[in-house]
Amino acid sequence: MTTVLTGDQRKQLDTTVQKARGICELAARDALTSLGVGETHRPAYLDDTQNQLRLALRAKARQLGADVTTRGADLTPLMRDVAYEQWHRLLFARFLERNELLRHADFPDTPVTISDCDELATAGEVDEPDGWSVAASFAARLLPGVFRLDDPAFQVRYATEHRLALEDLLMS
């Protein structure tokens, strides 16, 4: 059976995707600024893990054509890449969850929900800060050729206000 979206549903989907794109791009820009990706020197407030991510993101920016050797490099391609990767992983995780296809790697026969993922994150059973990150990680493991867990764009963490805005869109 094929499901076809009505005109109103297509309009709502387009509106939601446009909102998500704006939120993701702003969130990615803020995260890249916070990590000092456009700066020539490591910001003093970064710990070693954050600096490793910063360096990996700078390398990715170079691959995307940015000249990161000067302060204030144009990171627009990197920002869009981070935004795209983050949104699509979350969207795919939500799709899998809604269709009871989201799975924990250790329990492949039992579907998990976003609430289950929240519990795993809260209990510290996984190395992710929140349930959506856990769900996105599980989703990425299902399609490793599409979503690479080692991609620095996936390792970027959005500020809470941006993350919550995206979660609201995904749950509506």
Side-chain angles (χ1 to χ4, degrees), residues 133-158:
S133 295
V134 173
S137 177
F138 289 169
R141 283 182 172 84
L142 292 174
L143 285 177
V146 176
F147 300 117
R148 291 184 15 246
L149 289 171
D150 63 342
D151 185 338
F154 183 67
Q155 297 165 18
V156 170
R157 299 289 176 233
Y158 286 168

Side-chain angles (χ1 to χ4, degrees), residues 113-132:
T113 64
I114 300 300
S115 295
D116 296 332
C117 294
D118 278 331
E119 289 177 23
L120 290 169
T122 302
E125 294 182 33
V126 292
D127 189 26
E128 294 292 345
D130 58 70
W132 280 98

